[in-house]
Amino acid sequence: MRRIHRRDFIKAGAAGLALAGMAGCASLPGSGTQARVAVVGGGYGGATAARYIRMLDPSIEVVLIEPNEAFVSCPISNMVLGGFRTMADITTPYSGLARYGVRVVRDTATAIDMARKQVLLARGNPVGFDRVIVSPGIDFMWEALPAMGSPDSQAKVLHAWKAGPQTAQLRQQLVAMRDGGVYVLSVPLAPYRCPPGPYERVSQVAAYFKAAKPRSKIILLDENANITSKGPLFRKAWADLYPGMIEYRGGSRTLDVDVRSGTIKGEFGDQRGDVLNVVPPMKAGAIAAPYITANRRWCEVDWLTFESKAVKGVHILGDSLQLAPLMPKSATMANGQGKVCAAAIVAMLNGQAPSGAPTLMNACYSMVSDKLGIHVTSVHKYDQNSRTFRTVPGAGGVSAAMNESEGLYTMNWARNIWADTLM
Ligand SMILES: Cc1cc2nc3c(=O)[nH]c(=O)nc-3n(C[C@H](O)[C@H](O)[C@H](O)COP(=O)(O)OP(=O)(O)OC[C@H]3O[C@@H](n4cnc5c(N)ncnc54)[C@H](O)[C@@H]3O)c2cc1C
């Protein structure tokens, strides 16, 4: 019934789209009048959407475009810095998606041509589509830190805010640092990817220093006035587990970096360090630039379909979004958005209306040592009056205290979301 309905829809109203989709698939064998969705970016948003479209309607062709051979997870990557997990632990191959019939093209999208309904690629032939999902994560606003503009500076002062080679390199810098050295982490004003991420990071580095370099210090220069997530829990963890090791400086804006002397130039003075870890301000991933509508940084969407407010037929997910109130830029959120978007696209391609009442949940776990974890959760329900997601009062909350059970839940959460996204 559903397939017939969708075919009728395609024949009657969207034949042009289907033909355009086929026109661009010289490198991908044709498939009759089958609808095709192209997905740019195989992270938490994109890979989830690709997998769920195929699960919900296997008659829809899905092509996922992603340059990396395997997915490296930001969640749990801070534990690699602490030395408690390896890069292999946070890496998942894309091969699992083949089981659902998702076709993975290893390439970089360079542009999306809406006139021809094609994703243009750096190396291969264009990929045609009926609808396209864009989930490229974030890019950095290097212009905010003038001296960090050069590749040489960026190779020396790391962000490690996209898990991958920089995660391993920052771990090496920490291992090479002398006992008694200073590690400085600079955090931009919110919104940024993963609100509790910086505070988990210094906890993990502290756990490593406590065991291996106990005379060392950590300075957290936070442009935000205060810790942006789970503040009391992090402060208690630092006081109980790492007394005197972590110095938190709220309201500390980084203006630039003197890479040669290892100095962060701040609004209220300079701070030298042996290892500098500078996380620049962020904006939507570059390929999503044509869809940026908010503050010249983020993309607004219709929350029922995740369709761009700027360009019809383009759906945007994850960290590139201008988020709804109190909605974090998190993997859990991107994964949930991927499912809502998948269901909406399947409905639309079948000539049906998308759900008018989607609900999203968020869970952000943080490890404050090798074994102890904490969490924050929230529930976000679509509100028809304001046409955005609103948090459900009383649903969700934070851990009562750090403990080992929370540490186990953290790892279970990670394994579950990796499976739900990629396996
Ligand atoms: C240190 C750290 C810890 C974190 N911990 C947690 C946590 O515990 N829990 C949690 O929920 N969240 C956590 N996060 C946040 C989480 O990683 C992000 O919110 C999530 O990855 C967002 O998903 P996304 O799909 O928007 O982007 P990503 O997952 O980054 O995926 C984007 C993908 O798009 C690809 N891409 C980009 N441009 C192109 C292009 N032009 N062509 C093709 N492909 C492209 C990239 O290669 C990448 O694979 C953490 C983040 C960090 C930095």
Side-chain angles (χ1 to χ4, degrees):
M1 169 67 184
R2 198 162 66 180
R3 286 185 61 168
I4 292 165
H5 198 161
R6 182 170 63 72
R7 284 205 179 126
D8 289 343
F9 165 73
I10 288 170
K11 276 184 196 151
L17 306 191
L19 287 170
M22 289 161 59
C25 56
S27 65
L28 300 162
S31 45
T33 55
Q34 201 176 30
R36 179 189 284 169
V37 177
V39 182
V40 177
Y44 284 104
T48 303
R51 181 175 177 272
Y52 270 81
I53 288 172
R54 291 288 304 171
M55 282 168 65
L56 292 169
D57 187 343
S59 75
I60 298 174
E61 194 180 355
V62 177
V63 181
L64 174 67
I65 299 144
E66 164 63 48
N68 293 317
E69 190 176 11
F71 179 66
V72 184
S73 172
C74 285
I76 313 298
S77 68
N78 283 329
M79 293 194 81
V80 176
L81 303 180
F84 307 114
R85 290 286 183 277
T86 64
M87 290 302 290
D89 291 332
I90 61 168
T91 302
T92 308
Y94 283 105
S95 51
L97 291 175
R99 223 176 311 141
Y100 301 90
V102 175
R103 194 188 308 236
V104 180
V105 173
R106 196 169 162 206
D107 211 327
T108 300
T110 53
I112 296 170
D113 180 343
M114 287 308 290
R116 293 189 168 174
K117 297 231 168 219
Q118 291 180 339
V119 180
L120 309 185
L121 304 182
R123 293 188 305 273
N125 291 329
V127 174
F129 59 80
D130 298 294
R131 290 192 169 267
V132 61
I133 297 174
V134 181
S135 189
I138 48 99
D139 267 322
F140 298 111
M141 299 168 69
W142 293 113
E143 63 276 18
L145 305 168
M148 288 298 298
S150 76
D152 190 47
S153 300
Q154 291 173 25
K156 288 185 179 128
V157 176
L158 306 174
H159 53 76
W161 218 247
K162 292 185 183 189
Q166 285 217 358
T167 312
Q169 287 160 17
L170 182 56
R171 170 67 187 165
Q172 282 161 12
Q173 290 188 355
L174 293 167
V175 169
M177 194 186 88
R178 69 190 163 92
D179 187 10
V182 178
Y183 162 74
V184 189
L185 173 62
S186 157
V187 181
L189 203 59
Y192 57 87
R193 154 178 280 189
C194 191
Y199 317 111
E200 180 189 60
R201 176 164 293 184
V202 295
S203 306
Q204 286 298 310
V205 173
Y208 168 59
F209 285 172
K210 186 176 171 179
K213 304 173 194 234
R215 294 191 298 123
S216 305
K217 289 262 176 273
I218 296 172
I219 295 175
L220 176 44
L221 300 175
D222 191 346
E223 187 172 344
N224 300 284
N226 209 336
I227 296 175
T228 61
S229 176
K230 297 178 272 197
L233 287 164
F234 277 115
R235 283 188 190 277
K236 181 161 171 41
W238 298 346
D240 290 0
L241 304 174
Y242 318 112
M245 185 177 272
I246 300 171
E247 184 182 330
Y248 177 81
R249 294 190 206 152
S252 298
R253 181 170 170 217
T254 293
L255 301 175
D256 209 350
V257 181
D258 183 340
V259 178
R260 193 127 57 115
S261 67
T263 306
I264 290 183
K265 319 280 277 176
E267 203 171 19
F268 302 113
D270 295 352
Q271 177 61 54
R272 222 202 67 76
D274 296 274
V275 174
L276 302 186
N277 182 187
V278 174
V279 180
M282 300 164 203
K283 60 184 177 183
I287 191 73
Y291 321 115
I292 291 177
T293 50
N295 304 324
R296 289 193 263 170
R297 289 171 76 182
W298 311 113
C299 308
E300 292 171 291
V301 291
D302 172 342
W303 289 111
L304 288 181
T305 57
F306 288 85
E307 193 166 22
S308 160
K309 285 195 175 172
V311 181
K312 292 282 163 215
V314 179
H315 301 253
I316 303 164
L317 300 173
D319 288 352
S320 286
L321 291 175
Q322 166 73 6
L323 291 170
L326 301 178
M327 187 183 269
K329 293 189 186 293
S330 75
T332 321
M333 231 352 125
N335 169 267
Q337 291 163 356
K339 293 175 201 177
V340 172
C341 177
I345 286 179
V346 168
M348 290 161 94
L349 289 174
N350 280 288
Q352 296 164 358
S355 163
T359 300
L360 294 167
M361 286 182 298
N362 188 62
C364 276
Y365 286 93
S366 302
M367 293 296 288
V368 293
S369 74
D370 58 336
K371 291 197 177 63
L372 302 172
I374 55 178
H375 79 257
V376 57
T377 55
S378 52
V379 178
H380 306 252
K381 201 167 168 22
Y382 182 75
D383 174 58
Q384 291 185 344
N385 293 324
S386 55
R387 295 187 179 180
T388 188
F389 279 91
R390 300 266 173 206
T391 48
V392 178
V398 295
S399 324
M402 60 181 167
N403 58 53
E404 288 196 15
S405 301
E406 293 272 337
L408 292 175
Y409 300 151
T410 305
M411 288 315 301
N412 288 342
W413 169 87
R415 289 188 197 102
N416 280 332
I417 199 167
W418 294 336
D420 196 35
T421 303
L422 292 154
M423 294 177 194

